[in-house]
Amino acid sequence: MTAADEKYDPYASVRDTTEGQVFTVTGQDWDTVVQGVSEAGDERVVVNMGPQHPSTHGVLRLILELEGETVKDMRAGIGYLHTGIEKNMEYRTWTQGVTFCTRMDYLAPFYNEAAYVGAVEKLLGIQDDIPERAKVIRILMMELNRISSHLVAIATGGMEIGALTVMTIGFREREKTLDIFELITGLRMNHAYIRVGGISQDLPDNAIEKLREYIAWMKKHLKEYAELCNENPIFKQRLGGIGYLDLTGCMALGASGPVLRATGYPWDLRKTQPYWGYETYDFEVPTWDTCDSYGRFRIRLEEMDESLKIVEQCVDRLAEPGPVMIADKKIAWPSQLALGPDGLGNSLEHIRHIMGESMEALIHHFKLVTEGFRVPAGQAYFAVESPRGELACHAVSDGGTRPFRAHFRDPSFVNLQTAAAMCEGGMVADVIVAVASIDPVMGGVDR
């Protein structure tokens, strides 16, 4: 590319490095990339995988340079699912922010909410005031969410390599989990259930019974994945040694979650930096030592068993009733909710109280809903262990009723950096397996 060319496309420039040419890839530069590779004088072909490719986990664009069937170079093109969620949150109250961030990693909505709410509670200095029952229910919902997320990872990963039975039974168990979500929160996804100060509403009357039925079902059916896949020679050959990335590579690229634990390093924030009482639960952190796609699959399989253990402990702790929202009425909204035929809303008892009995309660409710509560100026960082790794929120307040800034460290975004290291030098067919083993969710990547 000449200087004259750069004048017309300054964002797709080429520069020489000690390792060869580097292309800054945008959405309208396909001719530039192909021309640059052709001028290199080798026998390479540029292949555009995505963003519509069904095996790239959503709108992910992978630009592959191939020499025959061998991947010589890979670049990831992201941004096709950009929603502006972080920016939109700056124009909503602190409570309304939950309804935005829950939509980022749409397979793990409770973790998005948990990271954001944890950061806001840190700014308010109310971490120790959150009711114990609310913390237990938060952990219950997050571990159920870990199971549902891993089921999708295993189901879609199996589908992409032709293991269709793994896909069908994976979504069968996920439906069971989403039924529990709907029972408790009123929604299958995008719940906005974890709120600043607690949770939006307590468990319904039949929730404990349904949870015990769910636990019994999952204990019986999770074994099927191990029976189908663990020692299946075709499955092991397809995943073993594919997408190799050792501990040094993970540390250099900031990878976390199953990608990191597949190297044998037991880094899990629930154990290393516990929050909300995780240190009081009995569970193990599964690790593997193969550094490949098969190890990541085995870790997710074992993590579902460990999550089920935590869910069972949560159910036992929820036998006794208690408050689910902080006592401070200047923050505790909305805590008087009910699930009716038209969805989640204020309970009729609460409406009768504020509309017919107490003018002060009506004024307070109106101001809290329309204006929101104020958060002291400052900044806070709160991290949780999501199904894909460390998910954190850096919340900044200027003392107002809205976030000055809410920035998320999403593990899919960070872990996606490892794709090139996993795939370069391998076969083009193995790109699908390697990317599936990372389990990226593009809603979290683009935000």
Side-chain angles (χ1 to χ4, degrees), residues 57 105-111 141-157 170-171 173-175 177-178 181 188-189 214 218 258 300-301 303-304 307 385-389 411-412 436 438-441:
H57 289 256
D105 181 346
Y106 40 78
L107 292 182
F110 287 110
Y111 291 91
M141 302 307 288
M142 286 193 293
E143 293 307 320
L144 287 170
N145 202 174
R146 189 183 308 277
I147 294 171
S148 70
S149 180
H150 282 346
L151 285 169
V152 173
I154 292 171
T156 55
F171 278 98
E173 268 76 83
R174 179 177 182 253
E175 283 299 305
T177 313
L178 296 188
F181 291 165
R188 289 160 53 88
M189 299 171 67
Y214 170 84
M218 292 300 288
R300 291 187 177 100
L301 205 58
E303 280 188 358
M304 288 195 291
S307 290
E385 185 69 33
S386 86
R388 274 158 281 284
S412 292
I438 299 172
D439 186 29
V441 174

Side-chain angles (χ1 to χ4, degrees), residues 318-374:
L318 290 170
E320 295 299 324
V324 296
M325 180 57 77
I326 193 171
D328 187 352
K329 293 299 182 183
K330 293 183 178 179
I331 297 173
W333 179 87
S335 56
Q336 302 289 333
L337 294 177
L339 185 60
D342 56 346
L344 192 65
N346 288 297
S347 68
L348 289 176
E349 292 78 9
H350 186 55
I351 293 174
R352 289 191 187 101
H353 172 65
I354 64 175
M355 294 297 290
E357 300 174 15
S358 173
M359 177 60 72
E360 291 77 13
L362 177 60
I363 294 171
H364 173 73
H365 181 82
F366 181 79
K367 285 181 65 66
L368 195 57
V369 172
T370 57
E371 188 178 294
F373 53 80
R374 294 188 177 273

Side-chain angles (χ1 to χ4, degrees), residues 113-152:
E113 299 170 18
Y116 171 70
V117 165
V120 178
E121 290 174 349
K122 213 170 180 181
L123 283 170
L124 287 166
I126 60 172
Q127 307 100 302
D128 297 333
D129 301 326
I130 309 302
E132 184 62 28
R133 185 176 177 86
K135 292 180 183 178
V136 174
I137 294 176
R138 286 177 177 183
I139 290 176
L140 167 74
M141 302 307 288
M142 286 193 293
E143 293 307 320
L144 287 170
N145 202 174
R146 189 183 308 277
I147 294 171
S148 70
S149 180
H150 282 346
L151 285 169
V152 173

Side-chain angles (χ1 to χ4, degrees), residues 71 74 235-247 249-250 253 255 258-263 288-297 300 415 417-439:
V71 178
M74 173 201 269
F235 189 83
K236 289 184 73 174
Q237 186 176 7
R238 192 70 185 89
L239 272 68
I242 304 301
Y244 183 88
L245 187 68
D246 60 14
L247 178 59
C250 287
L253 294 169
V259 176
L260 177 61
R261 291 191 285 275
T263 68
W288 212 254
D289 60 0
T290 55
C291 308
D292 60 4
S293 298
Y294 181 73
R296 293 167 206 134
F297 161 76
R300 291 187 177 100
N415 291 353
Q417 297 179 100
T418 65
M422 290 181 183
C423 297
E424 289 172 5
M427 305 297 285
V428 64
D430 295 335
V431 171
I432 304 303
V433 176
V435 173
S437 74
I438 299 172
D439 186 29

